[in-house]
């Protein structure tokens, strides 16, 4: 989807001159730092060609909601449509001979249009993906005896998917896919008594697994992109084009105007609201930063702390209902539950995540002595009265699913609602042209996810073929000595490390098929295991040393990238610890709303205290500036409270009370020394 950073008006600070250096264009920053955004800027007639093709894909996806197409043909048709667009919308990222990069007209493109190679790859993508549809029934019958042409087309499809993935999210995920294929082929040479050894498979069997069924390229991951995610990216694009992005920013600035902590609160609220449109943590941080950083700076935020707030607020959007990240849809498919159930799983952890950010913002406002900034904006009540209808489609999605409407139809109905409501705003009404642009933007937003999920299907196919999932889980459990705590720690580290190299969606899928069984084998419920993996896959985007959301935020603020990463890590620390609660403690299932309401509320209250204690430990502030004794006590309180066991909760409350008592004693002692010093100086003066 297109960034709304350039179209959202910057609220002006009253009576202040902004001395902030010029901020780079948000679209350029998103293209540079966000691995899930179209990177080309097409010009001329190609803009209309690609836009028309993308519009066709959106209409195809919407048609399939009300006129269901058989699963496998629909996935093949979807990939046949989006894979060519990927080669047209993304740069190859390689140096090629000048003649090789000529456009179809024979001229060297002055800007960023596709060259001959891109068109050849786009055409080949249509052929290899649509080939099974020509005589689909016969193609399926040949699964046990594929023809030479079947194998050629299958191998070509795998290679083209890997190239599309390389263009959209980088080379690491394709290399991992090649490694898995190599394992399937060469694994037969491993000793059979090794855990990961298997009998070995030839290329014919591997191609059949990956191309001629629903276990590989056309498996559940791609189905999620084709069935769920494309509809939500279309919805997000329609919301954006209808002016919702500008409204969310303006209402956030209007809600918190004068207090010292208001700029930080504003960024947090705006990040949550903008994330419902964007669906990308990095894009949300960049779009928000281009608007909010000048105001954060005038408020007195240092560059690294300001970048940390922007990145933390942006990444939180992926964790938050009602539009979670792509991996949430895969959780629903794997668990065979409704998407509404996944939203319920995420509700309490989301509250705890934003509680941690808000507390950190409040403490930073006092530590850094930030000040309120007067922003020239309408009153929040006036904005709500005029543009509050933008919230209605978000609410409608949840209400419709609660009434039993499928998520596919719920999001389509919400999209139609957002489209109709756009006519209430003359500036953003979706006439035929703007509506077509919004639908096209929706498809362009799903291209990197489609490539990623298709490539992840290669990994899932190999894991299924070789039973690597069970073998990998056995290795993890053995490495942790069969202890659940150590297994959870190893699992978290593995997901974080994996997430440093590949996007959130891919890291979740890989971890779900290998690490998920390890947690489940030790008695962790399926929903807890998958949500644990989901949170750590998302948090890999703010984990040093790659942390793309933090790096992008530092590019806006001009701060040190590594220091910005560490500040973001500080703000998001509760999200790193809370998942352990619903994996390690039976009572922790209440945090996923898998318990009666009184237990859920009790778990929320105890966990909220734990997050507050953790904020004291990391933020260095309680009633006044906190010293190391009370910070250490608060850290111990946070860890013991999150266990949610009665004895541990009592211990945690005692530690928290001790931290407060020590803080008051030290503060009184310091105040007494200060008064004595003043009195002594006065006496000496006499």
């Amino acid at each position: 989807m297109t960034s709304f950073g350039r179209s959202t008006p910057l609220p002006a600070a009253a009576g202040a001159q902004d001395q902030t250096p010029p901020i780079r264009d948000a679209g350029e920053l998103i293209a540079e730092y966000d691995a899930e955004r179209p990177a080309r800027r097409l010009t001329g007639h190609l803009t209309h060609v690609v836009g028309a093709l993308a519009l066709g894909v959106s209409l195809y996806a919407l048609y399939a909601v009300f006129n269901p197409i058989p699963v496998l043909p629909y996935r093949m048709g979807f990939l046949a449509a989006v894979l060519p667009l990927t080669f047209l919308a993304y740069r190859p990222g390689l140096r090629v001979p000048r003649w090789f990069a000529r456009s179809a007209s024979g001229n060297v493109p002055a800007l960023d249009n596709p060259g001959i190679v891109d068109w050849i790859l786009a055409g080949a993508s249509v052929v290899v993906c649509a080939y099974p549809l020509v005589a689909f029934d016969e193609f399926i019958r040949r699964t046990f005896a594929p023809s030479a042409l079947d194998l050629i087309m299958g191998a070509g499809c795998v290679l083209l998917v890997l190239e599309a993935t390389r263009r959209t999210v980088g080379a690491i995920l394709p290399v991992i896919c090649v490694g898995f294929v190599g394992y399937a082929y060469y694994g037969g040479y491993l000793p059979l008594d090794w855990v990961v050894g298997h009998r070995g498979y030839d290329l014919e069997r591997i191609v059949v697994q990956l191309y001629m069924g629903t276990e590989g390229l056309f498996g559940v991951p791609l189905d999620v992109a084709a069935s769920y995610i494309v509809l939500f990216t279309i919805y997000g694009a329609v919301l954006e084009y209808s002016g919702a992005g500008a409204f969310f920013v303006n209402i956030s600035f209007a809600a918190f105007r004068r207090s010292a902590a208001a700029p930080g609160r504003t960024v947090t609220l705006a990040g949550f609201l903008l994330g419902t449109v964007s669906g990308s943590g990095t894009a949300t941080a960049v779009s928000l930063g281009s608007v909010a950083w000048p105001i954060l700076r005038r408020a007195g935020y240092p560059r690294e702390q300001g970048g940390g707030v922007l990145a933390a607020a942006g990444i939180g959007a992926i964790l938050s209902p009602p539009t979670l990240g792509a991996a949430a849809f895969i959780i629903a498919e794997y668990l065979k539950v409704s998407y509404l159930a996944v939203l319920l799983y995420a509700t309490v952890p989301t509250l705890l995540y934003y509680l941690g950010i808000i507390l950190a913002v409040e403490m930073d406002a006092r530590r850094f002595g930030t000040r309120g900034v007067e922003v020239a904006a309408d009153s929040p009540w006036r904005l709500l009265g005029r543009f509050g209808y933008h919230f209605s489609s978000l609410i409608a999605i949840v209400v419709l699913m609660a009434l039993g409407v499928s998520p596919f139809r719920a999001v389509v109905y919400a999209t139609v609602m957002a489209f109709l409501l756009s006519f209430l705003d003359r500036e953003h009404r979706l006439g035929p042209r703007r509506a077509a642009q919004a639908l096209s933007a929706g498809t362009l937003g799903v291209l990197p996810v489609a490539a990623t999920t298709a490539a992840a299907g290669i990994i899932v196919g190999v894991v299924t073929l070789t039973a690597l999932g069970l073998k990998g889980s056995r290795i993890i459990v053995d490495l942790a000595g069969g202890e659940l705590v150590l297994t959870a720690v190893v699992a978290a580290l593995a997901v974080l490390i994996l997430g440093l190299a590949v996007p959130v969606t891919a890291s979740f899928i890989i971890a779900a098929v290998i690490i998920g069984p390890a947690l489940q084998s030790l008695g962790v419920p399926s929903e807890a295991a998958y949500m644990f993996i989901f949170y750590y896959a998302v948090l890999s985007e703010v984990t040093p040393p790659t942390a793309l959301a933090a790096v992008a935020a530092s590019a806006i603020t001009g701060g040190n990238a590594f220091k910005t990463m560490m500040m973001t890590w500080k703000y998001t620390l509760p999200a790193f610890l809370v998942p352990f609660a619903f994996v390690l403690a039976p009572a922790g299932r209440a945090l996923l709303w898998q318990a009666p309401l009184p237990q859920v509320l009790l778990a929320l209250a105890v966990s909220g205290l734990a997050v507050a204690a953790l904020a004291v430990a990391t933020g260095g502030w309680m009633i006044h500036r906190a010293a190391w004794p009370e910070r250490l006590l608060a850290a111990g309180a946070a860890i013991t409270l999150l266990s949610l066991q009665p004895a541990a909760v009592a211990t945690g409350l005692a530690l928290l009370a001790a931290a407060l008592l020590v803080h008051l004693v030290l503060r009184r002692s310091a105040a007494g020394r200060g008064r004595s010093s003043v009195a002594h100086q006065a006496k000496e003066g006499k």
Side-chain angles (χ1 to χ4, degrees):
M1 292 181 290
T2 307
S3 164
F4 39 69
R6 290 166 287 171
S7 61
T8 302
L10 172 63
Q17 294 293 324
D18 183 15
Q19 301 300 320
T20 305
I23 294 176
R24 290 173 56 190
D25 179 77
E28 293 178 358
L29 286 170
I30 290 172
E32 180 177 351
Y33 293 107
D34 189 355
E36 298 186 358
R37 296 280 147 172
R40 270 192 171 124
R41 297 193 174 190
L42 303 175
T43 58
H45 70 281
L46 281 174
T47 303
H48 304 294
V49 171
V50 172
L53 293 174
L55 173 62
V57 176
S58 291
L59 294 176
Y60 174 64
L62 294 171
Y63 170 83
V65 172
F66 299 97
N67 298 274
I69 300 171
V71 172
L72 190 54
Y74 175 69
R75 298 176 189 176
M76 291 174 172
F78 180 80
L79 192 61
V82 298
L83 204 56
L85 277 173
T86 305
F87 291 112
L88 300 180
Y90 284 79
R91 302 184 183 103
L94 299 172
R95 293 185 177 274
V96 296
R98 188 176 177 83
W99 67 269
F100 219 45
R102 293 182 186 277
S103 64
S105 63
N107 299 319
V108 176
L111 293 174
D112 208 12
N113 290 341
I116 293 175
V117 174
D118 301 309
W119 286 102
I120 291 174
L121 294 176
S125 300
V126 176
V127 172
V128 298
C129 295
Y131 164 77
L133 300 175
V134 175
F136 181 75
D137 292 338
E138 294 183 11
F139 176 80
I140 294 300
R141 282 195 291 269
R142 292 197 303 270
T143 300
F144 298 101
S147 67
L149 185 58
D150 293 335
L151 299 177
I152 292 172
M153 291 293 181
C157 189
V158 170
L159 293 175
L160 287 167
V161 165
L162 293 177
E163 169 58 13
T165 305
R166 185 195 65 79
R167 291 190 179 206
T168 53
V169 299
I172 296 179
L173 179 56
V175 169
I176 292 174
C177 292
V178 171
F180 271 83
V181 172
Y183 167 72
Y185 185 78
Y186 292 106
Y189 294 101
L190 297 174
L192 290 177
D193 57 344
W194 284 22
V195 176
V196 294
H198 60 79
R199 65 185 183 87
Y201 300 92
D202 57 22
L203 289 178
E204 176 180 320
R205 181 68 183 87
I206 294 172
V207 171
V208 168
Q209 175 77 3
L210 301 182
Y211 182 66
M212 301 183 72
T214 58
E215 297 291 343
L217 294 171
F218 306 112
V220 170
L222 180 63
D223 184 61
V224 169
S227 301
Y228 288 92
I229 299 171
V230 66
L231 298 177
F232 275 85
T233 57
I234 292 171
Y235 167 66
V238 170
L239 262 187
E240 177 187 339
Y241 274 75
S242 69
F247 165 69
F248 290 153
V249 170
N250 289 333
I251 192 66
S252 300
F253 278 96
F256 308 108
R257 286 194 175 189
R258 297 178 182 276
S259 71
R265 296 176 193 163
T266 298
V267 168
T268 304
L269 175 60
F272 169 73
L273 294 175
L274 290 180
T276 63
V277 180
S278 168
S280 164
T282 303
T284 301
V286 170
S287 300
L288 180 60
S290 63
V291 176
W293 167 238
I295 294 175
L296 285 174
R297 179 168 181 169
R298 284 197 293 268
Y301 272 85
R303 297 178 186 274
E304 286 77 17
Q305 280 75 11
V309 173
L310 291 170
I315 205 66
I318 308 179
L319 298 169
S320 306
T323 52
L324 299 171
F329 300 99
I330 300 175
I331 292 174
E333 285 295 309
Y334 281 175
L335 293 178
K336 302 300 180 185
V337 299
S338 68
Y339 180 62
L340 182 60
V342 181
L343 294 186
L344 286 176
Y345 297 160
T347 300
V348 174
T350 296
L351 293 175
L352 296 174
Y353 178 86
Y354 280 102
L355 174 63
I357 296 180
I358 290 296
L359 290 173
V361 164
E362 296 290 336
M363 292 177 183
D364 282 354
R366 291 158 176 78
R367 287 178 62 208
F368 303 127
T370 61
R371 53 194 175 275
V373 177
E374 184 67 26
V375 176
D378 287 335
S379 73
W381 300 113
R382 183 175 178 181
L383 284 172
L384 280 174
R386 178 65 183 88
F387 300 106
Y389 59 81
H390 285 300
F391 288 117
S392 59
S393 61
L394 290 168
I395 297 171
I397 292 177
V398 178
V399 172
L400 288 171
M401 288 193 294
L403 294 175
V405 178
S406 70
F408 313 109
R409 296 198 174 196
V411 71
V412 172
Y413 294 149
T415 303
V416 173
M417 178 183 291
F419 165 74
L420 294 175
L421 291 174
S422 72
F423 289 92
L424 296 176
D425 182 2
R426 181 183 298 273
E427 182 181 354
H428 295 99
R429 63 181 53 178
L430 293 177
R433 182 177 179 182
R434 284 178 58 80
Q437 291 174 341
L439 291 174
S440 298
T443 290
L444 293 177
V446 84
L447 295 183
V449 181
T452 300
T453 52
I458 296 174
I459 296 172
V460 174
V462 170
V463 169
T464 304
L465 181 66
T466 61
L468 181 60
L470 295 176
K471 298 172 182 176
S473 66
R474 178 181 167 187
I475 293 174
I476 293 173
V477 172
D478 290 345
L479 182 64
E483 294 290 334
L484 179 57
V485 175
L486 291 179
T487 301
V489 171
V490 171
L493 292 175
V495 178
L496 289 176
I497 293 171
L498 182 62
L500 299 179
V502 298
V504 171
T505 307
S507 62
F508 171 80
I509 294 171
I510 297 170
V513 297
I514 297 178
I515 298 174
L519 294 172
Q520 294 175 56
S521 68
L522 295 177
V524 177
S526 299
E527 64 272 13
Y530 284 130
M531 291 300 289
F532 180 89
I533 294 170
F534 169 65
Y535 277 97
Y536 276 97
V538 172
L539 292 170
S540 65
E541 284 206 1
V542 293
T543 302
T546 56
L548 292 180
V551 174
S554 69
I556 289 179
T557 65
N560 178 276
F562 182 76
K563 291 181 179 178
T564 302
M565 291 181 200
M566 297 309 296
M567 291 306 304
T568 306
W569 183 81
K570 185 194 84 168
Y571 288 130
T572 59
L573 188 58
F576 283 86
L577 296 183
V578 168
F580 280 95
F582 51 73
V583 165
L584 299 180
R589 295 194 65 197
L591 296 178
L592 298 177
W593 215 288
Q594 298 300 292
L597 181 60
Q599 294 182 27
V600 172
L601 295 177
L602 179 60
L604 174 60
V606 173
S607 299
L609 283 175
V611 169
L614 192 60
V616 171
T618 58
W621 195 275
M622 192 171 272
I623 299 174
H624 304 281
R625 187 177 296 275
W628 282 109
E630 55 259 51
R631 294 176 71 176
L632 290 174
L633 287 169
I639 294 173
T640 51
L641 285 170
L642 278 176
S643 69
L644 298 179
Q645 301 291 341
V649 168
T651 302
L653 292 174
L655 288 173
L656 191 56
L660 179 59
L661 180 61
V662 169
H663 180 70
L664 293 175
V665 169
L666 291 179
R667 179 66 184 175
R668 179 174 297 180
S669 175
R673 288 195 301 270
R675 288 193 297 269
S676 298
S677 177
V678 170
H680 178 73
Q681 292 176 6
K683 183 177 180 180
E684 290 293 325
K686 292 181 179 180

